[in-house]
Short mmCIF file of all heavy atoms in Angstrom, two decimals:
data_model
loop_
_atom_site.label_atom_id
_atom_site.label_comp_id
_atom_site.label_asym_id
_atom_site.label_seq_id
_atom_site.Cartn_x
_atom_site.Cartn_y
_atom_site.Cartn_z
N LEU A 1 -23.77 5.94 18.69
CA LEU A 1 -22.86 6.65 17.85
C LEU A 1 -21.37 6.74 18.52
O LEU A 1 -20.38 6.56 17.94
CB LEU A 1 -23.36 8.11 17.45
CG LEU A 1 -22.50 8.87 16.49
CD1 LEU A 1 -22.40 8.32 15.15
CD2 LEU A 1 -22.97 10.37 16.48
N TYR A 2 -21.44 7.05 19.76
CA TYR A 2 -20.27 7.10 20.59
C TYR A 2 -19.50 5.78 20.66
O TYR A 2 -18.25 5.81 20.53
CB TYR A 2 -20.62 7.66 22.03
CG TYR A 2 -19.49 7.51 23.08
CD1 TYR A 2 -18.42 8.52 22.92
CD2 TYR A 2 -19.47 6.67 24.05
CE1 TYR A 2 -17.40 8.51 23.80
CE2 TYR A 2 -18.43 6.64 25.04
CZ TYR A 2 -17.41 7.61 24.85
OH TYR A 2 -16.44 7.58 25.85
N LEU A 3 -20.30 4.64 20.69
CA LEU A 3 -19.67 3.27 20.77
C LEU A 3 -19.05 2.87 19.41
O LEU A 3 -18.24 1.98 19.44
CB LEU A 3 -20.65 2.32 21.24
CG LEU A 3 -21.19 2.53 22.61
CD1 LEU A 3 -21.95 1.31 23.14
CD2 LEU A 3 -20.13 2.75 23.74
N ILE A 4 -19.47 3.55 18.34
CA ILE A 4 -18.99 3.18 16.98
C ILE A 4 -17.75 4.01 16.80
O ILE A 4 -16.74 3.44 16.30
CB ILE A 4 -20.03 3.45 16.01
CG1 ILE A 4 -21.24 2.38 16.08
CG2 ILE A 4 -19.36 3.34 14.57
CD1 ILE A 4 -22.42 2.74 15.30
N TYR A 5 -17.73 5.25 17.03
CA TYR A 5 -16.61 6.20 16.60
C TYR A 5 -15.65 6.51 17.74
O TYR A 5 -14.62 7.19 17.52
CB TYR A 5 -17.18 7.43 15.89
CG TYR A 5 -17.79 7.08 14.51
CD1 TYR A 5 -19.09 7.00 14.29
CD2 TYR A 5 -16.92 6.78 13.48
CE1 TYR A 5 -19.66 6.64 13.08
CE2 TYR A 5 -17.37 6.41 12.23
CZ TYR A 5 -18.79 6.33 12.10
OH TYR A 5 -19.27 5.96 10.83
N GLY A 6 -16.12 6.29 19.01
CA GLY A 6 -15.26 6.57 20.12
C GLY A 6 -15.16 7.98 20.61
O GLY A 6 -16.07 8.80 20.10
N GLY A 7 -14.23 8.33 21.36
CA GLY A 7 -14.21 9.60 22.09
C GLY A 7 -12.92 10.52 21.75
O GLY A 7 -12.84 11.50 22.56
N TYR A 8 -12.13 10.21 20.88
CA TYR A 8 -11.01 11.14 20.49
C TYR A 8 -11.57 12.46 20.16
O TYR A 8 -12.47 12.50 19.29
CB TYR A 8 -10.10 10.56 19.47
CG TYR A 8 -9.19 9.39 19.88
CD1 TYR A 8 -9.41 8.11 19.53
CD2 TYR A 8 -8.12 9.71 20.79
CE1 TYR A 8 -8.66 7.15 19.87
CE2 TYR A 8 -7.34 8.64 21.19
CZ TYR A 8 -7.56 7.37 20.74
OH TYR A 8 -6.72 6.34 21.20
N PRO A 9 -11.20 13.57 20.84
CA PRO A 9 -11.83 14.84 20.65
C PRO A 9 -12.01 15.23 19.15
O PRO A 9 -13.09 15.69 18.80
CB PRO A 9 -10.90 15.81 21.38
CG PRO A 9 -10.42 14.91 22.56
CD PRO A 9 -10.17 13.62 21.89
N ALA A 10 -10.97 15.09 18.39
CA ALA A 10 -11.01 15.41 16.92
C ALA A 10 -12.12 14.72 16.19
O ALA A 10 -12.74 15.17 15.26
CB ALA A 10 -9.66 15.40 16.30
N VAL A 11 -12.21 13.44 16.55
CA VAL A 11 -13.21 12.60 15.86
C VAL A 11 -14.67 13.01 16.36
O VAL A 11 -15.59 13.15 15.50
CB VAL A 11 -12.97 11.07 16.37
CG1 VAL A 11 -14.11 10.20 15.73
CG2 VAL A 11 -11.62 10.70 15.93
N VAL A 12 -14.84 13.27 17.70
CA VAL A 12 -16.27 13.75 18.08
C VAL A 12 -16.61 15.01 17.43
O VAL A 12 -17.75 15.23 17.02
CB VAL A 12 -16.17 13.92 19.70
CG1 VAL A 12 -17.39 14.53 20.09
CG2 VAL A 12 -15.91 12.53 20.28
N LEU A 13 -15.59 15.92 17.20
CA LEU A 13 -15.92 17.28 16.71
C LEU A 13 -16.06 17.27 15.21
O LEU A 13 -16.57 18.21 14.65
CB LEU A 13 -14.87 18.22 17.17
CG LEU A 13 -14.82 18.56 18.66
CD1 LEU A 13 -13.62 19.36 18.99
CD2 LEU A 13 -16.05 19.25 19.15
N ALA A 14 -15.63 16.16 14.58
CA ALA A 14 -15.89 16.07 13.06
C ALA A 14 -17.26 15.97 12.73
O ALA A 14 -18.08 15.43 13.48
CB ALA A 14 -15.14 14.87 12.57
N LYS A 15 -17.72 16.55 11.61
CA LYS A 15 -19.13 16.69 11.26
C LYS A 15 -19.78 15.42 10.68
O LYS A 15 -20.88 14.96 10.93
CB LYS A 15 -19.36 17.84 10.30
CG LYS A 15 -18.88 19.19 10.84
CD LYS A 15 -19.62 19.56 12.14
CE LYS A 15 -19.16 20.88 12.73
NZ LYS A 15 -19.90 21.17 13.98
N SER A 16 -19.01 14.83 9.72
CA SER A 16 -19.63 13.69 8.98
C SER A 16 -18.85 12.33 9.43
O SER A 16 -17.79 12.32 9.97
CB SER A 16 -19.39 13.79 7.47
OG SER A 16 -17.96 13.66 7.14
N ASN A 17 -19.56 11.19 9.22
CA ASN A 17 -19.03 9.94 9.53
C ASN A 17 -17.71 9.67 8.70
O ASN A 17 -16.76 9.01 9.22
CB ASN A 17 -19.97 8.86 9.38
CG ASN A 17 -21.14 8.85 10.39
OD1 ASN A 17 -21.03 9.62 11.38
ND2 ASN A 17 -22.20 8.14 10.12
N THR A 18 -17.81 10.05 7.54
CA THR A 18 -16.50 9.85 6.62
C THR A 18 -15.38 10.73 7.17
O THR A 18 -14.27 10.13 7.26
CB THR A 18 -16.91 10.36 5.23
OG1 THR A 18 -18.06 9.62 4.70
CG2 THR A 18 -15.70 10.21 4.27
N GLU A 19 -15.68 11.82 7.63
CA GLU A 19 -14.60 12.61 8.27
C GLU A 19 -14.00 12.02 9.52
O GLU A 19 -12.86 12.02 9.83
CB GLU A 19 -15.11 14.05 8.59
CG GLU A 19 -14.07 15.08 8.97
CD GLU A 19 -14.60 16.43 9.27
OE1 GLU A 19 -15.84 16.67 8.97
OE2 GLU A 19 -13.93 17.28 9.82
N LYS A 20 -14.99 11.41 10.36
CA LYS A 20 -14.62 10.76 11.57
C LYS A 20 -13.68 9.53 11.35
O LYS A 20 -12.69 9.42 11.98
CB LYS A 20 -15.83 10.31 12.31
CG LYS A 20 -16.72 11.34 12.94
CD LYS A 20 -17.98 10.71 13.56
CE LYS A 20 -18.95 11.81 14.05
NZ LYS A 20 -18.46 12.69 14.99
N GLU A 21 -13.98 8.82 10.36
CA GLU A 21 -13.20 7.62 9.96
C GLU A 21 -11.81 8.15 9.41
O GLU A 21 -10.78 7.48 9.79
CB GLU A 21 -13.92 6.92 8.87
CG GLU A 21 -15.21 6.17 9.41
CD GLU A 21 -16.02 5.43 8.31
OE1 GLU A 21 -15.53 5.11 7.21
OE2 GLU A 21 -17.21 5.32 8.57
N LYS A 22 -11.72 9.13 8.68
CA LYS A 22 -10.41 9.66 8.14
C LYS A 22 -9.57 10.21 9.25
O LYS A 22 -8.38 9.91 9.35
CB LYS A 22 -10.73 10.71 7.15
CG LYS A 22 -9.46 11.13 6.24
CD LYS A 22 -9.04 9.95 5.43
CE LYS A 22 -7.79 10.16 4.65
NZ LYS A 22 -7.34 8.90 3.86
N ILE A 23 -10.14 10.83 10.24
CA ILE A 23 -9.42 11.35 11.37
C ILE A 23 -8.90 10.17 12.28
O ILE A 23 -7.81 10.26 12.74
CB ILE A 23 -10.27 12.45 12.18
CG1 ILE A 23 -10.52 13.66 11.33
CG2 ILE A 23 -9.59 12.74 13.48
CD1 ILE A 23 -11.56 14.60 11.97
N LEU A 24 -9.74 9.19 12.45
CA LEU A 24 -9.27 8.07 13.21
C LEU A 24 -8.18 7.43 12.57
O LEU A 24 -7.18 7.01 13.22
CB LEU A 24 -10.46 7.04 13.33
CG LEU A 24 -11.33 7.15 14.58
CD1 LEU A 24 -12.54 6.25 14.43
CD2 LEU A 24 -10.52 6.81 15.80
N GLU A 25 -8.12 7.30 11.26
CA GLU A 25 -7.08 6.72 10.53
C GLU A 25 -5.74 7.47 10.82
O GLU A 25 -4.72 6.89 11.02
CB GLU A 25 -7.36 6.73 9.12
CG GLU A 25 -6.24 6.21 8.16
CD GLU A 25 -6.44 6.31 6.64
OE1 GLU A 25 -7.59 6.82 6.23
OE2 GLU A 25 -5.50 6.10 5.89
N GLY A 26 -5.83 8.80 10.76
CA GLY A 26 -4.58 9.60 11.05
C GLY A 26 -4.15 9.44 12.41
O GLY A 26 -2.85 9.31 12.62
N ILE A 27 -5.00 9.37 13.32
CA ILE A 27 -4.63 9.37 14.74
C ILE A 27 -3.93 8.05 15.11
O ILE A 27 -2.84 7.86 15.65
CB ILE A 27 -5.89 9.52 15.61
CG1 ILE A 27 -6.36 10.90 15.68
CG2 ILE A 27 -5.49 9.11 17.12
CD1 ILE A 27 -7.71 11.10 16.47
N ILE A 28 -4.53 6.95 14.54
CA ILE A 28 -4.11 5.60 14.75
C ILE A 28 -2.81 5.27 14.00
O ILE A 28 -1.80 4.80 14.52
CB ILE A 28 -5.20 4.52 14.51
CG1 ILE A 28 -6.30 4.81 15.56
CG2 ILE A 28 -4.66 3.14 14.67
CD1 ILE A 28 -7.56 4.07 15.20
N GLU A 29 -2.79 5.62 12.75
CA GLU A 29 -1.60 5.26 11.87
C GLU A 29 -0.42 6.18 12.11
O GLU A 29 0.70 5.70 12.19
CB GLU A 29 -2.07 5.34 10.46
CG GLU A 29 -3.18 4.32 10.06
CD GLU A 29 -2.86 2.90 10.01
OE1 GLU A 29 -1.59 2.63 10.09
OE2 GLU A 29 -3.76 2.05 9.73
N ASN A 30 -0.71 7.43 12.26
CA ASN A 30 0.45 8.47 12.36
C ASN A 30 0.80 8.66 13.74
O ASN A 30 2.01 9.16 13.89
CB ASN A 30 -0.06 9.77 11.70
CG ASN A 30 -0.37 9.56 10.25
OD1 ASN A 30 0.13 8.81 9.60
ND2 ASN A 30 -1.30 10.33 9.78
N TYR A 31 0.05 8.49 14.67
CA TYR A 31 0.44 8.63 16.11
C TYR A 31 0.61 7.45 16.93
O TYR A 31 1.66 7.06 17.41
CB TYR A 31 -0.51 9.67 16.77
CG TYR A 31 -0.45 11.06 16.23
CD1 TYR A 31 -1.42 11.51 15.23
CD2 TYR A 31 0.58 11.99 16.56
CE1 TYR A 31 -1.38 12.72 14.71
CE2 TYR A 31 0.57 13.25 16.00
CZ TYR A 31 -0.32 13.62 15.12
OH TYR A 31 -0.35 14.88 14.58
#
């Protein structure tokens, strides 16, 4: 699971995979 979604803290603390993907989108696209 860690190798799929990585270790950005907000992603790790997200509850669902859908939420993890959405947070990753924000981190990568917006920052």
